[in-house]
Amino acid sequence: MTRCVLGQNQYGKAENRVVKITRDGDTHHIKDLNVSVALSGDMEEVHRSGSNANVLPTDTTKNTVYAFAARFGIDSAEDFGIRLARHFVDDTAPIHRARIRIEEYAWDRIGTLGGGTPATGHSFVRTGQETRRAQITYDGQSVQVLSGLKDLTVLNSTGSEFCGFLKDEYTTLEEDCDRILATTVSTWWRHTWDGTGAPAPDWDRSYRSVRTHALRAFAETYSYSLQQTLFAMGVRVLESCDGIDEIRFSMPNQHHVRSDLSPFGIANDAADGAVYHAADRPYGLIEATVLRDGADQLIPADLTNL
């Protein structure tokens, strides 16, 4: 008889949408999160015999998310995830590891027509740039915090080329010495803070710093390839942001192809301000991790890719 063993397993409640309103007089503050809980531990029997004695119901994990939002508030996605992870592991004996994955949706206040001070303290419009995210893993001893973002679309209208590439009998792409470079950035970065010793970082400040330096590197790097730009972004973040040892990017090359207007007798040169067709697929997908020298690569490669 073939002997089978139980491999890696986890369970929990995924995509708990939590909206927390904090009222400061007439001025309100909003936190809008999508929280997924995954728990692991002493789960051999539930898989083998169906005994639920060690199973905390997924409905309970959902209730805990909402109860903690009400009891403790939400300062940041990272703080909230750390509190949840520690609770599930420290307060539930069969649970040995908790992973909390959070997406945060940003809202801006609606201003008066033409700008100025907000029309009210309680009116918001969803910010249409990126989605902030965090992943917290706790095993009863140390915390691993990954922060990140997705859906941040950026474009350089010049300052990019793609030439000198390998060619074979199937290569039809022409070299381009002045092209549009556009991508939608998805990234995770790992904090060195592990929940012991030093106080936790200022998560919001850290997020703003990483975002700012990544964007500046994208804007200031003359690009010979998207790979080179990606690496420059990672280097800029690690050089500028203490407490981060590793950052991983997934960046699709969103191709902009100059339209062929020659049948109409119209030149379409980049130097004159060309007209492009923005192709949504297929697309090149560039992914890589940038590390401090000597650091271990701990962000899973499949956390960002297709």
Side-chain angles (χ1 to χ4, degrees):
M1 181 177 180
T2 301
R3 175 170 171 76
C4 299
V5 298
L6 178 66
Q8 192 279 337
N9 63 91
Q10 61 191 35
Y11 79 102
K13 189 72 82 175
E15 299 202 54
N16 301 282
R17 283 300 307 274
V18 184
V19 177
K20 174 68 171 73
I21 304 296
T22 301
R23 296 191 175 193
D24 181 13
D26 291 336
T27 300
H28 296 182
H29 306 275
I30 184 170
K31 284 287 187 177
D32 185 353
L33 307 182
N34 189 17
V35 182
S36 294
V37 178
L39 308 176
S40 304
D42 187 5
M43 298 295 153
E44 188 81 19
E45 278 306 309
V46 67
H47 288 88
R48 290 192 175 277
S49 69
S51 170
N52 293 317
N54 286 348
V55 177
L56 187 71
T58 64
D59 189 67
T60 302
T61 68
K62 175 204 71 177
N63 293 340
T64 305
V65 170
Y66 290 100
F68 271 42
R71 288 181 62 192
F72 304 110
I74 302 172
D75 289 331
S76 68
E78 288 86 351
D79 282 325
F80 189 62
I82 291 167
R83 189 184 294 274
L84 284 170
R86 282 179 162 158
H87 162 73
F88 287 123
V89 174
D90 293 343
D91 298 345
T92 310
I95 304 302
H96 302 160
R97 181 178 183 271
R99 189 203 70 200
I100 313 298
R101 188 172 290 173
I102 300 175
E103 294 183 346
E104 180 175 349
Y105 310 114
W107 295 82
D108 286 336
R109 299 187 186 280
I110 296 176
T112 57
L113 291 177
T117 58
T120 74
H122 59 265
S123 300
F124 301 86
V125 58
R126 265 286 293 273
T127 303
Q129 296 189 53
E130 80 273 18
T131 297
R132 180 174 171 177
R133 54 190 183 176
Q135 176 175 292
I136 294 86
T137 305
Y138 177 58
D139 61 5
Q141 296 182 334
S142 63
V143 177
Q144 183 194 74
V145 180
L146 305 181
S147 299
L149 59 85
K150 66 176 185 177
D151 301 330
L152 181 62
T153 300
V154 292
L155 181 149
N156 282 331
S157 57
T158 190
S160 173
E161 63 182 70
F162 189 56
C163 301
F165 46 82
L166 184 67
K167 303 179 180 69
D168 67 9
E169 64 269 31
Y170 301 110
T171 301
T172 59
L173 183 68
E174 295 183 0
E175 297 189 353
D176 193 343
C177 63
D178 189 358
R179 66 171 183 167
I180 285 179
L181 182 68
T183 186
T184 298
V185 180
S186 174
T187 183
W188 289 97
W189 54 91
R190 176 172 57 84
H191 300 270
T192 56
W193 183 81
D194 64 359
T196 62
D202 181 330
W203 303 113
D204 290 341
R205 182 179 179 182
S206 176
Y207 179 86
R208 291 192 298 268
S209 181
V210 172
R211 184 183 186 277
T212 295
H213 287 292
L215 287 176
R216 285 180 177 173
F218 178 84
E220 295 171 4
T221 300
Y222 185 92
S223 180
Y224 295 98
S225 67
L226 186 53
Q227 287 92 330
Q228 175 220 0
T229 299
L230 179 157
F231 187 73
M233 292 167 70
V235 169
R236 174 75 172 258
V237 168
L238 296 182
E239 288 180 343
S240 305
C241 303
D242 294 335
I244 297 173
D245 273 355
E246 175 184 9
I247 184 166
R248 181 167 180 81
F249 291 93
S250 179
M251 296 167 57
N253 196 337
Q254 296 174 331
H255 303 294
H256 287 67
V257 182
R258 266 179 273 176
S259 301
D260 181 10
L261 303 180
S262 59
F264 318 114
I266 301 174
N268 196 25
D269 296 324
D272 297 329
V275 175
Y276 297 84
H277 166 67
D280 64 344
R281 62 192 64 183
Y283 50 85
L285 182 60
I286 313 303
E287 299 177 303
T289 299
V290 184
L291 301 157
R292 291 190 190 276
D293 189 19
D296 294 325
Q297 182 169 332
L298 301 179
I299 300 175
D302 62 356
L303 197 59
T304 54
N305 65 8
L306 289 179

